Structure formats: structure tokens, C-alpha cells
Amino acid sequence: MRTGKLAATITAGVTAALIALAAAGCSDGGTPRGSGSGGRTPSAAPTPTWDPVQGPPRTVPAVQKFSAAEGRGWRPTKQARVVVPAGEKSPVADEAKRFAQELGGLRTVWGKQTVRPGDVELKLSPGDGAGRADNAPVYDTADEAYTLTARGTRLTLTAPTDAGIFNGTRTVLQSVRTSGGVPEGTVEDRPDRAQRGFMLDIARKHFDAGWIEDRIRDLAGLKLNQLQLHFSDDQAFRIESEKHPEIVSADHLTKDQVRHLVEVARGLHVTVIPEIDSPGHLGAVLRAHPDLQLRTAAGRAERGAMDISQPGAAAIVDDLLREFAPLFPGKHWHLGGDEYRALADRSPAETYPQLARAAREKYGDGGTIEDLATGWLNDRDKTVRAAGARHVEAWNDGYFPDTDVEPDPGRTVAYWTGKEIGAREPGAYLRENRKVINLNDEYLYYVLGEPNNMPYPTGERIYRQWTPGVLRGTEPVPESSSGPDRVLGARFAVWCDLADEQTPQQVADGIRMPLRALAQKVWDRREPALSWQDFKKLANQV
């Protein structure tokens, strides 16, 4: 398994903190450290001495609330232990083992133990987490909450789920990195938005599995919890397919590589969201199946667009959705639905008479191509839900006003732009009581080559100007309709329209600060306490 740059940075920071403590003459007596739980341990140990940790905790994102107290706080020492009352078979076990390793290879002890000076105790809240599968996805901010208390040289981390425990350990590691430890007092923290993440276009540009894994580890360190993979488009289809090998591009991820990435992400509480975009952006599929390509009345083939009047169109897309469902067990799917060429035409019924005819045959004399496209997404929605999906979404230009066929009411709107023909304001979706996820192309779109007057977004602009309620352009929707129950969160998106304009390393460097700014703004809705320059300095330390 790859260590990742973030883990290496954290380890270096912890090592530096331990060296500093040793140089200061810290008393850290007790039992020598080792791996595993080991047998009995002494009930008492010398109380460590160190200079007080200066607070509040300095982290990205910043903690929601810190109540300071008098005391020295907590610092990692070589004799500290990670104590897990729930035991080695609990959902917290993998969090404890990882955390102990990240703190320099501390000893982990299980079950009812005396918490000694210098120890860290990880506890699930009483009654919480019962029956939850290990590393299960969470979709409620309460499940990601945690409380962290430094008192009397001991550190106690309590949360309702292992996801909350994980978030708390990220806070500890960042605080150790920036301040040498955790200041005396109590942190009470939880995210403002449930969905916080990153969307990566691997269809137009191939990114290898190692690069993607490094991004997953970076997301997790920032308490971002989603990675959307857009792996099918006009340029390529980037994941191995046994059912339709004819559509797969030469450079692609194997299913074993994807399984590994999904498992790494799951262990770090990041949900991987697959996207097979349809009925547009299917060029890679259509190159192998040209008979399914949409054509105008004059016979012109429309790039990437599938002719949804043909029964074979639904059959092949459903084949792919069913094939890939087991590969992505996070129960979250993105259906695409954007930029369907037929509905970018000002006279679609005249230009594509076969679609107009199919709409009337299916929905009666008043049926429109918009009805047909809405029904297409509804049918794909049913396919992925039958395969186990619980959270389904599509781009905002896959929803049409005034159709007789209503989009599935449970499908989330991924709002990205208001620039397309017939664009609706975000408020229109919110008035329909739809849930919305923010991918505003004004702030959150990193498009390689900067085509169509789309400059690379900066962390500073996101930090200073953007909020989850700014869904389109630069103006927010009213606060009354942009709360966490309506606007579920946001993702920063990398699109590879001009794939060769940047190397993978340049992409990684370019998105580093925007991701950190996003992490801050989706975790805490309040105006950031730090100036941009101070935030940038801190972000370069954690």
C-alpha cells in the first residue's frame, strides 16, 4: 500500500515533535512500546512534563469550537499508548492502529485499561455505532462529529461512529504538526455539509492508480469525504469491462486497481462515486457501436450523443451500470445527463424527428424530446437503484422545465452551470424541494487548458468569495433555501478538456490550495477567522 505524501508529511511532523520533547527533557517513563495489545500494563506511570501547548488548535479545516482550559495540553511521547475500550474487533480498531502508527509507532491496547498520563483514548459514544459496519459511508453530519479533550496530559477522543473518530485523529495529527500537540481544553467539531469532495475526469486524461490514491489520501487528511470518478466520455472509457471489452481504451484502470482504490478510500472514509454519463458524452461507446449514434434528419452524426429512440441504446448502458455496480459499494451513483446534443438544438423535433416520434409513441401526442430524455434518466435511475444505489444524482442540465414526465423526486441535482440553453436558476430546483450539490463552474471547475474563458480557479477566490450557497455565478441563493438540508455540499472538479496542457504533477500542484480552501468552506459556514495569507501559510504546514 502506498504511504502517500500526506502521511509522510504527518510522520515527519510527529517525529520532529518527539525529538523536540526528548531534547526538552520530557519525563516519559512507563512500559517500552511495542506492537499489538501486549499483556498486562502498569496501572500508573510518571506524569509527562512539557511546555504548555499553545492554542487554539491550528488545523485545515479549522475546528468549529474550542473551549480552552488551564493546563499543559497533550503532546505525543514515545511511551504514550492508544487505548481502545471497545476492543480489537470494534469498528474503531483500524482507526486506532493507523493513528498509533502515524504518531510514530505507539503501542495500542484494547479493552478496559487504565488510561495513563500521556495516553490517547478513542471511545465510541455510549449506544452509538452499534450494528454499524466497519467504515460504512455516512451521509449525516452528526455521524461525523467528534469531541476531543486534552486534560491532565491525557487525550480523549469520543465520537458516535468510526468516521467521527477518524476526523478527530486528523485534527490531532494536524495540531501536532503545527503546534507540537493539542492544547488543554475541549474541541467540539462537526462538518457543516455532509458531502465534501473532489470530482476527477479520468476519461479525457489517464491518471494512474498511484496518482489517484495520493489524491484520496490528501482528501481524507482534509476531512473531504467523496471522490467522483468520471470515467466514460467521448475520448475514452477508462475502466476494464468484461461485458463490453470493445469500448475500453488502451490506457485504463483494471478492476483490481479500482477495487484497491475503493478499499483505500473506504478505510479513509472517502466514498468513491462512479459516473457513466448518458445519453451524451458516450463517444467511446459509440465508436464500437456506431449504429446507436444520434443522427440528424440530414444524416449528420452527432458526436458523443446516443440515439435514445433505439432499444439497443438502453440495453448497453444498463449493461454497463449493472456491471460496475458491485465495483463501487458506496451506494452513490452519478448518471450524468448533461449536454445532450439533441436538446442543445433550437428546433429539436425538426432536427431529430426519430426522437420526437419516439416521445409521442411512449408518452402520447403531447410527448416531447425533453420527456424522452427525462424518461431515459429515470430508467437509468431505476437500474442503479435496483443494483443497490441509494443516492443518485445527475447534472442540472439533465432536468427540464414543464415536462409531463417528472424527474425522479429522489434524484439530487449536481449544479454546475447556468450557461447552457434554457438554463434554470438554482432556485428553481430548490423550490421543487430538490437536494442540490454545488459544482459551480465559476469557482470549482479546473479545466485543463482554460478553454472557453475558464481560468484556473484559485484557493484565494474560493476562500474569500465562495460559499456552498453560491451555486451559479457569484451570487448566493437566499440563506433560507441554502442550508445543509437543501445544499448538501460541494465538490471541486478537474476536467481534462485539453488533456496535454498539464502533467499529472502540475494538476496535483494546481488543485492543492483550492482543495484546502474548499475544505474550510464546506466544514464551517462562518466567515473564516484567518486572513487568506495566514490560511495559506497554515495550509502549507499541515
Side-chain angles (χ1 to χ4, degrees):
M1 183 177 293
R2 296 170 62 91
T3 301
K5 293 180 180 177
L6 179 65
T9 300
I10 289 170
T11 301
V14 172
T15 300
L18 290 171
I19 292 171
L21 282 171
C26 170
S27 170
D28 54 27
T31 306
R33 62 177 174 164
S35 60
S37 57
R40 300 177 58 186
T41 57
S43 60
T47 300
T49 58
W50 49 59
D51 291 337
V53 181
Q54 301 300 314
R58 301 178 64 242
T59 62
V60 175
V63 301
Q64 292 267 14
K65 181 181 179 182
F66 173 65
S67 302
E70 289 294 326
R72 288 173 288 164
W74 176 89
R75 295 180 187 269
T77 68
K78 64 182 182 180
Q79 299 301 334
R81 307 173 307 161
V82 177
V83 181
V84 186
E88 196 168 3
K89 296 187 181 299
S90 71
V92 184
D94 57 335
E95 317 302 335
K97 292 174 183 175
R98 178 192 300 112
F99 187 46
Q101 194 63 37
E102 290 168 329
L103 285 171
L106 302 187
R107 185 180 181 192
T108 306
V109 295
W110 313 99
K112 294 182 179 179
Q113 301 278 343
T114 299
V115 181
R116 306 184 320 200
D119 283 350
V120 184
E121 185 178 23
L122 307 184
K123 300 195 300 184
L124 288 174
S125 308
D128 288 323
R132 272 183 59 90
D134 187 29
N135 298 325
V138 294
Y139 293 96
D140 187 328
T141 57
D143 290 335
E144 293 191 85
Y146 66 93
T147 301
L148 180 66
T149 300
R151 181 179 297 125
T153 73
R154 297 169 178 86
L155 190 63
T156 304
L157 171 56
T158 306
T161 69
D162 55 348
I165 292 289
F166 178 79
N167 287 335
T169 62
R170 301 309 95 184
T171 293
V172 174
L173 292 168
Q174 287 197 11
S175 190
V176 168
R177 175 67 174 156
T178 56
S179 304
V182 179
E184 192 86 0
T186 299
V187 169
E188 296 175 271
D189 202 15
R190 65 184 286 177
D192 180 52
R193 306 289 159 152
Q195 299 190 35
R196 312 176 304 280
F198 175 50
M199 194 233 78
L200 178 63
D201 170 14
I202 64 172
R204 293 176 176 91
K205 184 178 183 69
H206 176 63
F207 293 90
D208 67 40
W211 191 94
I212 297 171
E213 182 173 337
D214 285 344
R215 303 289 75 71
I216 291 170
R217 294 185 184 281
D218 193 36
L219 297 176
L222 297 168
K223 303 188 182 84
L224 297 172
N225 63 4
Q226 292 181 336
L227 170 63
Q228 178 184 338
L229 285 182
H230 177 92
F231 63 90
S232 170
D233 212 304
D234 296 342
Q235 291 78 0
F237 193 98
R238 296 288 190 186
I239 297 180
E240 171 190 3
S241 170
E242 284 106 0
K243 286 193 173 182
H244 291 282
E246 74 280 1
I247 71 173
V248 180
S249 303
D251 290 327
H252 65 272
L253 299 174
T254 68
K255 284 189 174 179
D256 281 345
Q257 287 175 317
V258 175
R259 290 185 188 98
H260 172 73
L261 291 171
V262 168
E263 186 60 21
V264 168
R266 190 179 73 88
L268 296 170
H269 301 278
V270 174
T271 298
V272 181
I273 303 170
E275 181 192 354
I276 297 179
D277 201 348
S278 78
H281 294 283
L282 283 168
V285 174
L286 292 170
R287 276 196 295 276
H289 298 272
D291 54 308
L292 299 178
Q293 190 160 17
L294 179 66
R295 294 180 180 274
T296 66
R300 183 183 72 245
E302 296 290 17
R303 182 177 185 235
M306 185 164 273
D307 185 345
I308 59 176
S309 69
Q310 297 194 48
I316 192 169
V317 173
D318 283 347
D319 261 359
L320 294 168
L321 295 174
R322 294 188 187 103
E323 178 182 1
F324 288 104
L327 202 58
F328 298 95
K331 302 186 182 302
H332 200 134
W333 268 91
H334 197 299
L335 295 174
D338 63 310
E339 297 181 324
Y340 185 44
R341 184 66 191 88
L343 292 172
D345 193 278
R346 297 192 181 278
S347 303
E350 296 177 13
T351 306
Y352 310 99
Q354 75 277 32
L355 297 182
R357 184 167 55 251
R360 291 192 299 271
E361 290 172 355
K362 190 168 184 178
Y363 300 113
D365 290 344
T368 64
I369 297 176
E370 288 84 353
D371 287 320
L372 193 67
T374 301
W376 168 274
L377 276 190
N378 285 348
D379 289 342
R380 308 294 76 76
D381 194 315
K382 292 174 185 175
T383 297
V384 296
R385 289 184 191 276
R390 291 176 51 202
H391 306 271
V392 183
E393 60 188 57
W395 298 111
N396 62 285
D397 45 337
Y399 299 79
F400 309 102
D402 305 320
T403 55
D404 290 336
V405 179
E406 292 294 323
D408 186 288
R411 190 160 64 241
T412 297
V413 177
Y415 201 99
W416 71 281
T417 190
K419 300 171 184 174
E420 75 282 3
I421 293 175
R424 286 194 288 167
E425 296 283 347
Y429 302 97
L430 295 167
R431 286 190 294 274
E432 294 172 359
N433 292 317
R434 288 197 174 275
K435 308 294 187 185
V436 176
I437 185 82
N438 189 329
L439 290 102
N440 183 347
D441 64 351
E442 179 74 21
Y443 293 94
L444 305 180
Y445 262 36
Y446 191 98
V447 186
L448 298 198
E450 302 179 298
N452 302 318
N453 298 314
M454 297 187 75
Y456 292 125
T458 66
E460 182 175 5
R461 192 161 180 251
I462 295 169
Y463 190 79
R464 291 181 183 276
Q465 300 177 11
W466 178 87
T467 69
V470 180
L471 287 155
R472 172 178 175 171
T474 60
E475 296 299 318
V477 297
E479 282 192 34
S480 60
S481 61
S482 63
D485 59 328
R486 309 296 304 284
V487 180
L488 303 178
R491 294 184 208 121
F492 185 84
V494 167
W495 292 101
C496 302
D497 291 40
L498 300 174
D500 295 331
E501 288 296 310
Q502 287 195 342
T503 66
Q505 185 57 54
Q506 287 174 319
V507 174
D509 293 341
I511 67 177
R512 187 177 183 278
M513 288 308 299
L515 280 175
R516 280 148 180 76
L518 176 76
Q520 176 61 44
K521 301 301 285 284
V522 289
W523 190 269
D524 189 346
R525 73 176 69 187
R526 297 170 299 182
E527 187 73 19
L530 297 180
S531 69
W532 166 249
Q533 290 303 322
D534 287 342
F535 177 84
K536 184 178 179 180
K537 182 178 178 180
L538 175 61
N540 284 326
Q541 292 178 297
V542 300

